[in-house]
Amino acid sequence: MNDFSADQAVWTSVLKEAFGPTVELEDEDGSTEVYDLSAEFEVGGQTYAVLQSPDEKDGEYNILKVVKAADGNLELVTIDDDDEWENITELYDEMTFPDIQE
């Protein structure tokens, strides 16, 4: 069961306004990869970013938390809590692919 519903979420553009339509992420090995910023939304006081690799053709995406660092800059962090991850991915699916009512 999802802790949030689509009517509680708000589409935002905080990252897109700050960085443009793409973001560059560095992994723990120091490799960098560019991602398209597909969407951003806020729910429960937390902002999330939906990223997609430009090479990804089958709709795969990743959702990261947007947090403000101590220096005031925006950062993306992984969602480590399994329940939060499940709730947020289900919420994003509900927001993007709402059930078609007959």
Side-chain angles (χ1 to χ4, degrees), residues 1-2 79 81-91:
M1 182 174 152
N2 197 341
I79 301 171
D81 181 88
D82 290 339
D83 290 335
E84 180 183 8
W85 169 255
E86 185 174 322
N87 284 330
I88 293 305
T89 55
E90 286 178 14
L91 174 62

Side-chain angles (χ1 to χ4, degrees), residues 5-73:
S5 64
D7 62 338
Q8 295 173 301
V10 177
W11 294 110
T12 63
S13 59
V14 176
L15 283 179
K16 198 169 272 191
E17 289 172 8
F19 301 111
T22 60
V23 293
E24 189 175 288
L25 298 181
E26 184 175 321
D27 65 16
E28 58 274 351
D29 298 330
S31 301
T32 59
E33 190 169 342
V34 175
Y35 291 88
D36 291 331
L37 183 54
S38 299
E40 300 172 61
F41 61 95
E42 182 180 323
V43 66
Q46 176 62 58
T47 302
Y48 297 92
V50 181
L51 305 178
Q52 191 170 25
S53 174
D55 301 330
E56 194 61 52
K57 302 296 181 205
D58 63 1
E60 290 283 322
Y61 60 85
N62 195 9
I63 300 179
L64 299 173
K65 281 185 183 183
V66 179
V67 297
K68 193 172 277 195
D71 62 5
N73 290 323

